[in-house]
Amino acid sequence: MSVAMPPSALGAAKSGAAASGARAPEAGLDSALWAGMAGADDAQLFAQSWLAIQCRMIPAVSGGLVLLRAERDTSYAPAAVWPDVRRDMRYLTPVAQRALAERCGFTTPRAGESDAPAGHFVAYPVEAVGMLQGVVVLDLAPRPDADLQAALRQLHWGAAGLALFFARNAVAKTNARRERLQSVLEIVAAGAVQERFTAAAMAIANELATRLRCDRVSIGLFHGRKLRVDAVSHSAQFQERTNLMRAVAAAMEEAIDQSATVAYPAVGEGAPAVNRAHEALMQGHGGGATLTVPLMAGSRACGALTLERPAERPFDADTVGICEAVAGLAGPMLDVHRREDHWLLGRAIERSGETLRKLLGPRHAGLKLGAILVTTLLAFMSLGKGTFRVSATTLLEPLVQQAAVAPFDGYIREAPARAGDIVEAGAVLARLDDRELRLERLKWMSQEEEFSKQFRQAMADRNPAQVQIVTAQLEQARAQAARANDQLERTTIAAPFDGIVVAGDLTQQLGAPVEKGKVLFEVAPLASFRVVIKADERDVAYVQAGQRGALLLSAFPHDPIEFTVSQVTPVSEPRDGRNTFRVEAELAAAEPRLRPGMQGVGKVEIGEARYVWIWSREIVDWLRLAAWKWLP
């Protein structure tokens, strides 16, 4: 069975065959654009191919522009233009700026002069890696709104290709930085595990030479004011005085003097550096390229490392970055290793030399000012004189202190006085219960009356024997009654003189029993005190009777009280792990506000002496005792 084709269909088929023949070159162009985009490493090349593909996929595009963000700037510059790179596309810039500001895609009619052709602009921002990377703007011929939305959707999907390119580049850069950082850490770690300076420098030089494929890596540090080559890669022994080592040291000093990395041939487009010593090193010893990076320890240069390569493999920016990172980490470590390898005397000499150079050289104003102040202070201490005083803990003791004791066994009835009370002579301090004493006195008084009657009866009966017996009993009764009267009089415990109660408080013991002879109160006068100074055994030799001094009490820290030393007791007392001697002094004037037991700090004026001796005598005496103890 055959099917006839209408003439119209046949014509359409012929025209389609002709169109397919015309699209054959276009298919080859599309393949070239896709291949160029897939193999592009540069953002501009990728954007040019990408824009061409987008403009070919969207019908009736009269022009296109891609603006991309610069790597080290926040500005956006043209990266791709379609269809002709020579075409002026500045009229698309306002639309691009709007898309960048709004951070969203949109379509807008072409606005311009009245004779301008009608059309639309389509703009879409490109975001990747958390940043706005660029924007694409297309100039479209007039079309329905549905076709405009289709073009906008095409840009939306197409922008994913640009975002993927930027994300891929960001990942590649991150991986490269991670690899460089890992290499730097491994190189520095090779030296950090070494205990000695030479071994650490040699390990770092060998790692640099191996990883960066260098013919020779040299590391030199300052020893005093002289730079010396301390390690050469893969060379256990080398002569420092050879012409090669002198040339390497000269290259190191050239970089250190400029405080910058020096390369020959120069790397990058930065400020040119003087590299005559590097050129001489290469020309005189058959090298091709050399690089020197200063080693810094804090703010000063402590040395340098020099790398040498063949001429066919010059140094690039990545290698320079790795070397500078290694120098930044290895410099302080190698400087510490070098210092620790010195003997103690060598370290002291080196530190002294550094300090002297700072004092005599430029800058370091703070150190110079400190040195001037210290020198001035030492001169003042050595030449100036002042009053030498012996200071010690001091307390006030009353000249007289009397105790009020219990006269007999009894019970406390009342106790109106307590410690701290000021009392007058005869004032009641306490009273004892006298009820039993009164009963006992009545008992003996009645016995006395009875014996008196018996005595008179015996006298009337003229019985001498009975008279003698009754007389004895009568005397006993009288004595017991007198004893009871005496105890009744002593139940009141009174103050012996005007003063202050320094001890004793029975207000919480009313009704409690007390034993005979127990101290109930201590009373001291208010007007007479003596100063007791607890002088240390190292200072007591300077203290003598008649010397004057001043006392500051904790209660009156702003009012010094003068005194005169009256006696030095030659008996030591242990106090807080040290021996002290009791020094007694008398107050120059009576002070009514003073109280027994007050403490403070007293200073005894010994005489004039130099400040350096006053402030250093304790250390000097301790050193003398230590030397006497250990010397044979």
Side-chain angles (χ1 to χ4, degrees):
M1 181 183 296
S2 63
V3 178
M5 181 179 293
S8 59
L10 182 60
K14 290 181 179 180
S15 61
S20 64
R23 283 198 300 267
E26 294 181 3
L29 179 59
D30 288 342
S31 298
L33 291 175
W34 281 101
M37 188 175 66
D41 293 332
D42 183 70
Q44 290 188 351
L45 296 177
F46 185 91
Q48 189 66 42
S49 299
W50 178 86
L51 179 61
I53 291 173
Q54 296 298 317
C55 291
R56 292 174 66 83
M57 294 177 67
I58 300 174
V61 178
S62 60
L65 173 66
V66 175
L67 300 177
L68 295 182
R69 178 177 175 273
E71 289 188 7
R72 300 182 180 179
D73 198 356
T74 57
S75 62
Y76 294 85
V81 176
W82 190 89
D84 187 358
V85 295
R86 295 171 295 180
R87 182 177 175 181
D88 187 4
M89 306 297 290
R90 285 181 292 180
Y91 70 96
L92 298 179
T93 302
V95 182
Q97 292 175 346
R98 176 185 168 187
L100 290 172
E102 297 180 359
R103 299 176 76 97
C104 65
F106 62 89
T107 63
T108 181
R110 181 187 293 122
E113 299 178 359
S114 59
D115 57 349
H120 292 81
F121 295 134
V122 180
Y124 196 88
V126 179
E127 293 192 42
V129 200
M131 293 187 296
L132 190 62
Q133 300 290 349
V135 62
V136 56
V137 183
L138 299 182
D139 185 3
L140 305 181
R143 65 191 65 199
D145 292 340
D147 293 343
L148 286 175
Q149 293 300 321
L152 184 61
R153 284 194 296 271
Q154 177 59 40
L155 285 183
H156 172 75
W157 290 105
L162 278 175
L164 179 62
F165 174 81
F166 288 115
R168 184 181 62 191
N169 281 0
V171 171
K173 291 179 181 179
T174 301
N175 291 336
R177 285 195 297 267
R178 184 183 297 110
E179 291 176 359
R180 288 197 298 268
L181 179 59
Q182 183 176 358
S183 299
V184 169
L185 293 178
E186 290 176 354
I187 292 171
V188 177
V193 298
Q194 304 296 329
E195 295 183 357
R196 304 302 298 272
F197 163 68
T198 304
M202 181 63 71
I204 293 175
N206 291 339
E207 284 290 325
L208 280 172
T210 302
R211 290 179 179 271
L212 302 182
R213 296 185 298 167
C214 298
D215 292 344
R216 181 170 48 244
V217 175
S218 305
I219 296 180
L221 269 79
F222 280 105
H223 296 262
R225 302 185 66 178
K226 180 181 179 182
L227 181 69
R228 187 175 72 192
V229 179
D230 295 295
V232 178
S233 60
H234 307 299
S235 299
Q237 296 181 351
F238 57 91
Q239 296 294 328
E240 298 180 13
R241 299 181 179 273
T242 60
N243 292 333
L244 174 61
M245 291 297 101
R246 290 194 181 97
V248 170
M252 292 180 177
E253 291 177 349
E254 186 176 60
I256 293 173
D257 291 341
Q258 300 177 74
S259 299
T261 300
V262 178
Y264 178 82
V267 179
E269 299 179 356
V274 178
N275 56 7
R276 291 185 178 179
H278 291 72
E279 182 179 2
L281 172 62
M282 293 296 95
Q283 293 178 356
H285 301 280
T290 182
L291 172 71
T292 299
V293 181
L295 296 174
M296 304 298 295
S299 60
R300 64 180 180 85
C302 63
L305 58 88
T306 299
L307 300 87
E308 301 174 47
R309 273 183 174 179
E312 59 272 14
R313 284 191 289 104
F315 293 97
D316 54 10
D318 290 341
T319 305
V320 172
I322 293 176
C323 294
E324 289 178 346
V326 170
L329 294 176
M333 180 192 68
L334 291 176
D335 188 58
V336 171
H337 270 297
R338 181 188 63 82
R339 292 174 182 272
E340 291 181 349
D341 275 0
H342 288 174
W343 292 97
L344 183 60
L345 181 60
R347 295 183 196 176
I349 294 175
E350 183 177 359
R351 290 293 180 87
S352 301
E354 291 179 359
T355 304
L356 184 61
R357 285 192 295 272
K358 291 179 180 178
L359 288 175
L360 301 180
R363 299 187 297 274
H364 307 290
L367 181 62
K368 294 181 174 64
L369 180 60
I372 293 174
L373 293 177
V374 171
T375 303
T376 304
L377 178 61
L378 291 177
F380 173 74
M381 291 173 57
S382 301
L383 302 177
K385 288 186 176 182
T387 303
F388 171 45
R389 298 179 178 89
V390 171
S391 61
T393 301
T394 306
L395 58 88
L396 295 180
E397 286 186 357
L399 290 178
V400 178
Q401 184 167 312
Q402 187 166 339
V405 301
F408 48 82
D409 296 341
Y411 298 89
I412 299 173
R413 188 177 73 182
E414 59 177 310
R418 56 190 299 183
D421 291 348
I422 298 176
V423 296
E424 297 179 354
V428 177
L429 302 179
R431 282 192 177 92
L432 300 181
D433 192 355
D434 59 354
R435 287 175 296 180
E436 292 185 1
L437 293 175
R438 292 181 182 277
L439 293 175
E440 184 177 359
R441 184 180 64 174
L442 289 175
K443 169 188 171 183
W444 289 110
M445 289 178 66
S446 62
Q447 290 286 338
E448 180 182 359
E449 185 66 25
E450 180 66 26
F451 291 142
S452 296
K453 292 179 180 180
Q454 293 180 9
F455 176 77
R456 288 193 295 271
Q457 184 64 37
M459 289 293 293
D461 294 340
R462 298 179 181 272
N463 187 352
Q466 185 66 21
V467 170
Q468 291 182 357
I469 294 173
V470 173
T471 301
Q473 291 176 342
L474 180 60
E475 293 296 332
Q476 180 184 7
R478 289 175 178 173
Q480 291 293 342
R483 178 174 176 273
N485 286 329
D486 181 65
Q487 288 182 342
L488 282 172
E489 292 177 357
R490 289 190 293 163
T491 54
T492 299
I493 302 172
F497 45 74
D498 295 344
I500 182 173
V501 179
V502 297
D505 186 0
L506 304 177
T507 56
Q508 304 298 321
Q509 301 181 26
L510 298 180
V514 292
E515 298 178 356
K516 180 180 180 180
K518 179 181 179 181
V519 178
L520 303 181
F521 297 94
E522 291 182 0
V523 182
L526 285 173
S528 56
F529 296 96
R530 60 167 163 254
V531 179
V532 178
I533 303 171
K534 303 293 184 180
D536 191 271
E537 61 181 347
R538 296 173 300 181
D539 301 327
V540 69
Y542 303 107
V543 181
Q544 298 178 3
Q547 293 174 337
R548 302 179 63 84
L551 163 67
L552 275 182
L553 295 173
S554 301
F556 312 109
H558 303 290
D559 301 327
I561 302 172
E562 296 183 355
F563 62 81
T564 303
V565 176
S566 59
Q567 182 180 3
V568 179
T569 305
V571 178
S572 63
E573 301 175 0
R575 183 173 180 269
D576 297 334
R578 306 180 69 170
N579 290 333
T580 61
F581 286 81
R582 180 184 175 95
V583 177
E584 297 182 1
E586 297 179 355
L587 295 176
E591 291 282 348
R593 56 182 177 173
L594 299 183
R595 296 293 181 269
M598 286 185 172
Q599 292 189 3
V601 177
K603 290 188 176 183
V604 181
E605 296 182 2
I606 306 302
E608 294 290 326
R610 297 189 184 276
Y611 288 113
V612 64
W613 179 84
I614 295 174
W615 292 333
S616 64
R617 62 184 181 83
E618 293 186 1
I619 299 176
V620 173
D621 292 343
W622 181 86
L623 291 175
R624 286 177 178 175
L625 288 176
W628 178 262
K629 177 180 179 181
W630 291 105
L631 290 178

